[in-house]
Amino acid sequence: MPKQNSVFRHIVLTSHPSRFGPKPIPIHWGDGDPMQRGPVIATLTKQAHRNVIGTHSGSYAIYRALAIASGTLQSDHRADLTDTSPVEHIGPHKIWADPDRIVSLDPFGAIVGEVFKSYYEQGYDIRPTIAITKAHINMPELQETVAKGRLRIDGKIMKPGGDLVVTKAAIEPVWYLPGIAKRFKIPEGELRRALFEQTGGMFPELVTRPDFDVFLPPIGSITVYIIGDVLSLADPKKPLAVRVHDECNGSDVFGSDICTCRPYLVHGIEMCVQTAQEGGAGVIVYYRKEGRALGEVTKFLVYNARKRQEGGDRADAYFERTECVAGVQDMRFQELMPDVLHWLGISRIDRLVSMSNMKYDAITQSGIEIVERIPIPKELIPPDAWVEIEAKKSAGYYTTGEVLDADSLADVKGRSLE
C-alpha cells in the first residue's frame, strides 16, 4: 500500500491544440526575416505558447527539474535577460535563410531579445539558445610555444604571461526535424519514431505532434572559441584556421596519454593564433561528443577490452573492440557539424587542423572550401597513442597527409596565407 502522504497526480502528457483555443506562433524554418521565421518558444511558464518539442538547457534540464522538485527553484521563474546581449554580433548572414544549410541550431538564437522584442512585450517567454561573450584562456602548452618562438606576444591576441584573448559562444542544439531527416536521407517519420523510442518515450510529442517541426534534444551543447577579429570569419580574403574538436574529457582536461585529443586541440589553438596574428582569424569548435558520442562508460569498457586482449593493445583490433562493446565504431555522425560554420558565415577554410576524412567530407559537401589539412606533428603524439594513430590509418580514417615531423611543421607555419 502506498504511504498516506503520497501525492498522486494525473498528468496529461500530450494533447493536440484545441480547434477553438489559441494557436502557438508558427515556425517557418529558413525564412531570413526572423519575425516571419518565428521565435523558438520552449519554456514552460505558459504551455499554450510552446511551439517546439523539448525544453532549454539540453541535458541540464534534468538538474532544473531536481531544483524545482527540491524547492530551490520556482517553476514559474522567468529569466531576467537585462545586459545579457552578445558582446560581439555574428551575422545575420545570407546563408541563415537556407533551410538546408542550418538544421541543428537556431541562427537567431543569440539575438532573440532584439529581433523578437515585440513578442517579449506581449508576455512571451523567449529565451536565447546562443550566448556570446569574451574571455582570456591560458594553457601551459601555449606558453611553451611562445618560449620556443613559434608564437609571439603581440599584446592584442596574446597578452604577456600567455593569456589568449577569445570571443566564445555557447550554443544549445535546436533541431529542425524535416531538415535533420533530409540530411541523413531518412523519412522524417522514421526519425521521429527512433528519437521517441530510444529516449524511452521521454518526448511523446515526437509522434503525436507532427505540427511541431522543431525539437530541442537533451544533449550537450557546442562551444565556439574565436581567435582574432570576428568579422574576418566571413571574409574569404582573410586567412582562416579551424579545428573541429570532439570532447575527450580524459585527455582534454586530465591529460590521459592513450589518445591525441589534448595535443591536437592545443596544436589547433596554436595554428589559430598564428593565423589570427597573420591578419586573419582562428576558430575552435568544441562538440560534446564524448567517446565518439558513445559516452565515457562505453569508452572505458573498450579501454579495458583493448588492454586485456591477447597480445595487448593492438592497432588491428582497435575498432573491433569498440564495435564489440558499442555495436558501432563511431556515432559522432559529422553530418550536422558544419551548421555552426555556416552560422559563423564561413565559406572558406585555409587551414583545417584535422586528419579526419569524416570531418573533411562533411564540411566540403556542405559547400565550404578547404585549402589545406594540417595533421598532428609526430612529436605531439603520446607513446601510448600510436595504437590509435596506426589503427585510424589502417581503417582509412585519414588518407590525406601523414603526421608531421618538426621540419614539415615549420614549413607549414612558414607559408603565408595572405
Side-chain angles (χ1 to χ4, degrees), residues 210 219 232 236 321 349 377 390 399-400:
I219 59 177
S232 295
R321 296 312 301 148
I349 298 171
E390 293 301 324
T399 55
T400 300

Side-chain angles (χ1 to χ4, degrees), residues 105-121:
L105 60 88
D106 178 7
F108 300 106
I111 53 175
V112 293
E114 302 171 28
V115 297
F116 299 122
K117 184 178 179 181
S118 62
Y119 283 126
Y120 277 104
E121 293 171 347

Side-chain angles (χ1 to χ4, degrees), residues 189-381:
E190 289 186 14
L191 172 65
R192 285 175 173 265
R193 174 63 63 178
L195 289 169
F196 168 69
E197 292 178 348
Q198 296 306 313
T199 56
M202 286 176 62
F203 303 99
E205 293 87 355
L206 286 164
V207 292
T208 64
R209 295 297 301 268
D211 55 317
F212 281 2
D213 287 334
V214 177
F215 173 45
L216 275 59
I219 59 177
S221 60
I222 306 163
T223 310
V224 179
Y225 290 83
I226 302 168
I227 301 165
D229 186 359
V230 170
L231 295 177
S232 295
L233 302 180
D235 186 350
K237 296 179 181 178
K238 297 288 184 70
L240 178 66
V242 173
R243 166 71 183 166
V244 178
H245 191 88
D246 293 324
E247 178 183 30
C248 178
N249 183 63
S251 179
D252 296 343
V253 179
F254 294 100
S256 172
D257 65 351
I258 198 171
C259 64
T260 59
C261 294
R262 182 180 172 95
Y264 218 162
L265 175 60
V266 173
H267 181 53
I269 294 173
E270 181 181 343
M271 299 301 293
C272 286
V273 173
Q274 184 203 2
T275 307
Q277 290 181 333
E278 292 175 354
V283 175
I284 303 292
V285 184
Y286 196 91
Y287 274 88
R288 267 55 180 204
K289 295 179 182 177
E290 180 64 62
R292 299 195 210 113
L294 301 170
E296 220 169 20
V297 170
T298 296
K299 183 178 183 178
F300 288 6
L301 293 174
V302 172
Y303 283 168
N304 288 345
R306 284 170 49 192
K307 296 288 187 179
R308 289 170 176 165
Q309 65 191 343
E310 185 177 352
D313 198 5
R314 308 190 317 274
D316 64 335
Y318 178 89
F319 287 111
E320 178 187 345
R321 296 312 301 148
T322 303
E323 196 163 358
C324 286
V325 176
V328 295
Q329 295 180 2
D330 197 322
M331 286 204 302
R332 284 176 291 180
F333 299 118
Q334 302 293 352
E335 284 87 346
L336 303 179
M337 173 267 291
D339 289 23
V340 68
L341 304 178
H342 290 299
W343 172 67
L344 293 168
I346 292 171
S347 61
R348 171 191 165 107
I349 298 171
D350 295 275
R351 294 168 172 166
L352 177 67
V353 190
S354 173
M355 295 189 294
S356 167
N357 288 339
M358 291 174 62
K359 293 176 182 177
Y360 175 85
D361 291 344
I363 292 171
T364 55
Q365 289 171 11
S366 77
I368 296 174
E369 178 189 0
I370 294 175
V371 178
E372 184 177 20
R373 297 164 69 177
I374 307 298
I376 187 171
K378 287 182 179 179
E379 61 268 26
L380 296 184
I381 300 173

Side-chain angles (χ1 to χ4, degrees), residues 145-174:
T145 64
V146 172
K148 292 182 177 180
R150 298 205 304 266
L151 292 178
R152 59 186 172 86
I153 301 296
D154 59 16
K156 181 179 180 181
I157 295 172
M158 287 203 76
K159 301 283 189 178
D163 280 357
L164 179 61
V165 180
V166 299
T167 300
K168 61 181 182 179
I171 304 172
E172 290 182 6
V174 178

Side-chain angles (χ1 to χ4, degrees), residues 77-106:
H77 172 73
R78 182 168 176 173
D80 179 354
L81 299 176
T82 303
D83 293 332
T84 62
S85 59
V87 298
E88 289 273 8
H89 271 69
I90 293 174
H93 297 293
K94 184 177 180 180
I95 203 164
W96 289 12
D98 187 336
D100 292 328
R101 296 298 187 195
I102 300 179
V103 300
S104 61
L105 60 88
D106 178 7

